[in-house]
Amino acid sequence: MKKDPNPSCPPAALDSSNGDSSKLLSLLALAAGAVAMPQTSNADIIVTDLSASPVTVVGNTNSSFLIDNLPGISGGRAQLGFQGDANPNRLPTSHSVRASQRQGYVRLATDRLGFVLPVVAGLTWQKIVGLGLPGQQSISGFAGVANMNMHTPNSFDHMYMLFTFKDNSLPNSPLRYAWLDYSVANANGVPPTVTIFRYAYDDTGSFIATGAVVPEPAPLALLALGALTLGAKGLRSWRRNRPAANQP
């Protein structure tokens, strides 16, 4: 009796699976090719997200917040601080929240009256300050001011503060551009309230658009993952459904 050299994979089983095997190999090849292709993204944007527990600074002397996790060497690392204040020497008493450089090099986009410029999403430093429209760069600026008779600015929700800082951990302390997502509640007769949700910077020195974050995976990367998933599923299906080996 002639012995089958490969009883677990008879010719009939191989012939019937040629179509499925070809599809499986095509999917895996597609996945491998897609994964191997270089991807471009804004992966150099570093975001600190406080939105799960936003920080609130009120226009009173005992309210403050310090951004102290920007890149740099201790002692000279750039720091941006927010401080509430009440000034009884001005009648009526003035309450304010000011943003300012606390350490290292920090500059804010402000108007010519010394107020931080709240801007919408999609704007960059050079569009607001570099072209002189409508702002200037300052080491500090008011985020909100109010007394019994006036307040500036009006309340708003989720706008952006532009700032730049120097990373002193690198040669020549290069500039980095950043944004901060914040809201202001402001009215006559009550201290202003500033709520901080997120801030971000680009660690390459590129201008960063307000609101810009690391993008979702590119469609090609998703296609690669999908192909790999389908390939593994197809392989399991082929193994389950292939014809049983001939019995001797």
Side-chain angles (χ1 to χ4, degrees):
M1 179 178 178
K2 184 177 180 181
K3 187 176 181 182
D4 190 335
N6 190 5
S8 62
C9 296
L14 290 174
D15 290 341
S16 65
S17 64
N18 279 345
D20 290 340
S21 298
S22 298
K23 292 177 182 178
L24 174 59
L25 291 174
S26 297
L27 284 169
L28 293 174
L30 173 63
V35 170
M37 292 184 67
Q39 301 292 307
T40 58
S41 71
N42 294 332
D44 299 305
I45 296 175
I46 311 302
V47 181
T48 299
D49 192 347
L50 307 173
S51 56
S53 183
V55 172
T56 299
V57 182
V58 184
N60 290 314
T61 55
N62 60 350
S63 184
S64 65
F65 174 63
L66 181 65
I67 294 177
D68 60 358
N69 65 340
L70 300 174
I73 299 173
S74 296
R77 177 186 290 117
Q79 294 181 351
L80 173 60
F82 292 80
Q83 179 65 56
D85 189 34
N87 187 350
N89 297 322
R90 297 185 62 182
L91 295 176
T93 299
S94 176
H95 294 264
S96 65
V97 176
R98 181 192 289 268
S100 63
Q101 168 189 289
R102 293 297 180 82
Q103 183 176 275
Y105 178 101
V106 178
R107 295 293 183 270
L108 295 154
T110 66
D111 65 19
R112 302 187 188 282
L113 296 177
F115 284 85
V116 172
L117 278 173
V119 300
V120 298
L123 296 178
T124 56
W125 177 269
Q126 84 273 29
K127 291 181 179 179
I128 300 300
V129 176
L131 299 178
L133 299 171
Q136 59 186 20
Q137 56 178 323
S138 307
I139 63 171
S140 68
F142 288 106
V145 173
N147 60 33
M148 289 298 296
N149 303 318
M150 58 78 66
H151 65 273
T152 302
N154 291 327
S155 299
F156 58 80
D157 192 29
H158 286 286
M159 294 189 75
Y160 297 91
M161 179 185 300
L162 282 163
F163 66 97
T164 186
F165 64 92
K166 287 185 177 181
D167 180 356
N168 73 334
S169 68
L170 297 173
N172 302 317
S173 298
L175 280 172
R176 299 291 182 246
Y177 295 92
W179 56 257
L180 181 139
D181 175 9
Y182 73 119
S183 296
V184 170
N186 208 7
N188 291 2
V190 294
T193 299
V194 173
T195 303
I196 299 166
F197 300 95
R198 299 176 299 161
Y199 53 93
Y201 65 92
D202 189 304
D203 68 1
T204 68
S206 298
F207 290 112
I208 179 175
T210 49
V213 296
V214 178
E216 296 298 321
L220 190 57
L222 293 175
L223 177 61
L225 292 174
L228 285 170
T229 302
L230 289 172
K233 182 179 178 181
L235 179 59
R236 289 193 299 269
S237 176
W238 178 76
R239 285 175 173 169
R240 283 197 308 268
N241 298 326
R242 65 180 177 175
N246 290 343
Q247 300 296 322

